[in-house]
């Protein structure tokens, strides 16, 4: 090609790029204009008027966010890229020590939506109807807002998949499915293309035609939780299931600008399978991942129900494990992208200054720690600690970080306090952390409580034999220590114990339960665990 031809080609390339950018901008502006033209009139909100609430909950998200990276000793989190959530943290209050009540979807969500703890709700597995004990009359968090004049809307996973009907909403919608055989999104389908650097071990002949959940399980010994699976696709981000959730939430904002609303966006990612547009995978090269360190002593002193390395997980090569972590981070970045779209929607619709934004996750996720643990259901910090960011309409506390211990069961009382609503008819088992929003450095709870029921030698808590063969892991998490008792559900075996000093051992490698120097501490924390959450309340708590 001669110099003139090269120059002509370059000019056309630049012109095309400019036209594409210009066209995109015009399309975006036109979309916003159409949205505004069909939107409800904008409510004028004074200081004493009820604020809107945008509640964003994602699935399986640990603290691998940019704004949290400096707060932990986990090198495999270092490549996290979450610009929109980092911006939200800079505009709001970030909670350093937020903990779930159960590191499993259904129990965690049933707890935070009811404002009750897992033992009260009596939900410990993914297959339990959330209202089987508390009944139909108890008003869940969004129902209480509805009772006091709010429009309530849910899109995506806010309850637990088939149990979304446990909460009544004015409008309730599922994410659309990428699976051609399903109308709505449920985890499990794998598209037939994969542009990732390294394929997972589910790929086999015929996978190029797509794999249903049944196909995936047919190639493994599993029956419930998915094997490590990922696919980098050619999809457009808005056309992914979570993309449809973000779009529908923005539409609901527009349609209900004339009244106070409580909108809940439930993003499925980074729940497995890790499937999404290749542009998010490209931001997380596998070779940039540093696998978590595994000291030789790690796990040797861990009780059986506290750890379980599954054979098919261990069968992945070191590079595949790096790709798995990279795929997880890709999904976190994709979730961040959709959060950014919803926050932009608030701004475009003139709602940012009248809306409380809450961002959190139902529990964390293990990424090959402790000799090869993946998924959740453990009591390690990677499973029970979650991000929590609250942005207030008046910008109060912007950029602050609170070290105070908070729990997701606290969200119900906190949000009704912020909206100046009365308490519900049932007694809540959390504490409003509104004082921490005014003064993030205030003295607060002395401990958080979590629990999980596990089978020894099983990756599932859904076995019908769980009440005969399982353990109930009950933890108290203070600012410095985690103490856990694994209590046999049949009462015929010994209670197993864990104690970790997170100040000296943030990755929880060394179980101190048999260290004579910690005998008094074991006794103290055991007594506090038995006393329960009522003994660890913040100063001047109304509970």
């Amino acid at each position: 090609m001669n110099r003139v031809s090269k120059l002509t080609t370059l000019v056309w390339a630049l012109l095309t790029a400019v036209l594409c950018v210009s066209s995109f901008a015009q399309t975006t502006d036109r979309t916003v204009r159409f949205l505004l033209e069909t939107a409800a009139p904008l409510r004028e909100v004074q200081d004493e008027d009820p604020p809107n609430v945008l509640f964003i909950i994602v699935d399986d998200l640990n603290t691998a966010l940019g704004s949290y990276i400096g707060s932990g000793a986990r090198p495999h989190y270092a490549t996290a890229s979450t610009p929109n959530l980092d911006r939200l943290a800079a505009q709001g209050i970030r909670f350093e020590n937020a903990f779930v009540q159960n590191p499993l979807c259904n129990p965690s969500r049933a707890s935070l939506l009811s404002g009750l703890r897992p033992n009260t709700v009596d939900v410990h597995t993914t297959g339990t109807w959330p209202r089987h004990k508390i009944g139909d009359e108890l008003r869940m968090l969004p129902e209480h807002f509805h009772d006091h004049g709010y429009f309530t809307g849910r899109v995506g996973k806010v309850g637990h998949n088939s149990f979304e009907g446990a909460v009544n909403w004015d409008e309730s919608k599922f994410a659309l499915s990428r699976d051609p055989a399903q109308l709505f999104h449920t985890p499990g389908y794998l598209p037939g293309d994969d542009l990732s650097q390294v394929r997972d071990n589910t790929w086999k002949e015929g996978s190029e035609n797509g794999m249903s959940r049944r196909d995936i399980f047919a190639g493994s010994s599993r029956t419930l939780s998915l094997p490590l699976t990922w696919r980098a696709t050619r999809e457009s981000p808005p056309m992914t299931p979570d993309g449809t959730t973000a779009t529908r939430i923005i539409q609901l904002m527009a349609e209900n600008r004339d009244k106070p609303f409580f909108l809940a966006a439930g993003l499925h990612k980074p729940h497995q399978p890790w499937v999404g547009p290749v542009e998010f995978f490209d931001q997380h090269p596998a070779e940039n991942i540093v696998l978590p360190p595994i000291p030789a002593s790690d796990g040797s002193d861990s009780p059986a129900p506290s750890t379980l390395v599954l054979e098919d997980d261990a069968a992945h090569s070191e590079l595949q494990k790096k790709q798995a972590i990279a795929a997880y981070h890709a999904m976190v970045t994709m979730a961040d992208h959709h959060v950014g779209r919803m926050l932009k929607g608030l701004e475009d619709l003139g709602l940012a200054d009248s809306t409380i934004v809450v961002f959190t996750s139902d529990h964390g996720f293990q990424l090959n720690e402790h000799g090869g643990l993946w998924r959740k259901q453990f009591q390690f910090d990677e499973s029970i600690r979650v991000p929590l960011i609250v942005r207030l309409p008046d910008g109060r506390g912007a950029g602050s970080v609170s070290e105070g211990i908070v729990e997701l069961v606290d969200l119900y009382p906190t949000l009704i306090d912020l909206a100046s609503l009365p308490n519900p008819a049932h007694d809540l088992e959390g504490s409003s952390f509104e004082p921490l929003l005014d003064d993030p450095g205030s003295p607060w709870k002395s401990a958080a409580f979590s629990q999980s029921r596990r089978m020894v030698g099983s990756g599932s808590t859904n076995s019908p034999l769980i009440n005969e063969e399982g353990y109930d892991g009950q933890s108290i998490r203070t600012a410095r220590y985690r103490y856990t008792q694994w209590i046999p559900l049949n009462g015929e075996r010994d209670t197993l114990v864990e104690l970790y000093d997170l100040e000296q051992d943030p990755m929880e490698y060394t179980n101190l339960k048999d260290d004579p120097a910690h005998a008094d501490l074991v006794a103290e924390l055991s007594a506090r665990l038995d006393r329960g959450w009522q003994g660890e309340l913040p100063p001047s708590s109304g509970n």
Side-chain angles (χ1 to χ4, degrees), residues 215-539:
D215 294 334
I216 298 168
F217 285 126
S220 73
S221 58
R222 294 171 171 271
T223 57
L224 286 169
S225 58
L226 289 166
L228 299 181
T229 47
W230 59 84
R231 299 286 190 273
T233 70
R234 296 179 176 85
E235 296 169 293
S236 169
M239 301 310 294
T240 60
D242 284 345
T244 67
T245 291
T247 299
R248 282 176 161 172
I249 286 290
I250 295 168
Q251 289 176 318
L252 287 176
M253 293 175 191
E255 293 166 3
N256 296 280
R257 294 196 308 166
D258 57 344
K259 61 181 79 72
F261 60 69
F262 183 109
L263 296 180
L267 300 182
H268 286 258
K269 297 307 176 196
H271 193 289
Q272 285 199 92
W274 299 315
V275 178
V278 68
E279 64 191 76
F280 299 113
F281 280 75
D282 287 345
Q283 297 179 50
H284 300 279
E287 61 269 18
N288 289 353
I289 300 295
V290 176
L291 293 178
I294 305 174
S297 60
D298 182 35
S300 61
D301 52 7
S302 299
S306 76
T307 181
L308 177 65
V309 178
L310 298 177
E311 208 172 294
D312 62 326
D313 292 341
H316 287 83
S317 68
E318 181 173 301
L319 185 56
Q320 283 179 311
K321 291 174 183 178
K322 289 183 176 184
Q323 175 67 87
I325 295 173
Y328 178 87
H329 289 326
M331 296 300 94
V332 175
T333 300
M334 183 171 73
D336 175 86
H337 171 80
H338 294 309
V339 170
R341 291 178 58 214
M342 290 184 279
L343 297 178
K344 181 65 163 54
L346 285 176
E347 295 171 3
D348 289 341
L349 292 164
L351 295 165
D353 293 336
S354 59
T355 303
I356 299 165
V357 178
V358 177
F359 175 86
T360 193
S361 173
D362 56 355
H363 47 72
F365 199 85
Q366 304 288 153
L367 293 172
N368 200 49
E369 299 92 358
H370 304 288
L373 295 186
W374 297 87
R375 301 169 197 82
K376 54 264 188 178
Q377 297 178 243
F378 303 97
Q379 289 295 304
F380 293 112
D381 254 21
E382 293 91 2
S383 282
I384 65 171
R385 181 173 170 239
V386 292
L388 175 62
I389 301 169
V390 179
R391 188 180 77 182
L392 300 174
D394 59 7
R396 193 175 3 141
S400 299
V401 177
S402 175
E403 301 281 346
I405 291 175
V406 297
E407 302 172 275
L408 291 200
V409 72
D410 299 334
L411 286 171
Y412 196 141
T414 302
L415 286 172
I416 63 174
D417 271 5
L418 289 173
S420 300
L421 303 185
N423 287 331
H426 68 284
D427 291 332
L428 298 172
E429 294 181 338
S431 302
S432 169
F433 54 76
E434 184 180 17
L436 289 179
L437 299 173
D438 291 323
D439 181 5
S442 297
W444 205 241
K445 282 184 183 181
S446 47
F449 292 81
S450 62
Q451 66 183 116
S452 53
R453 293 190 176 176
R454 291 189 57 81
M455 299 285 291
V456 175
S458 168
S460 165
T461 57
N462 287 309
S463 168
L465 300 177
I466 187 170
N467 290 324
E468 299 175 20
E469 299 180 0
Y471 284 83
D472 189 15
Q474 301 178 9
S475 292
I476 179 170
R477 172 62 159 82
T478 72
R480 178 167 180 174
Y481 298 101
R482 175 173 69 83
Y483 174 80
T484 301
Q485 293 179 167
W486 293 95
I487 303 169
L489 292 171
N490 64 10
E492 297 177 359
R493 289 162 290 165
D494 292 336
T495 293
L496 308 174
V497 173
E498 293 177 273
L499 173 66
Y500 298 96
D501 181 345
L502 290 108
E503 184 177 289
Q504 302 297 319
D505 179 25
M507 290 285 286
E508 300 173 272
Y509 289 138
T510 304
N511 187 357
L512 300 171
K513 69 177 181 67
D514 294 325
D515 183 348
H518 291 84
D520 290 345
L521 180 61
V522 167
E524 175 200 333
L525 291 174
S526 178
R528 289 169 66 180
L529 180 60
D530 290 343
R531 184 176 57 183
W533 60 272
Q534 295 94 334
E536 310 291 336
L537 295 175

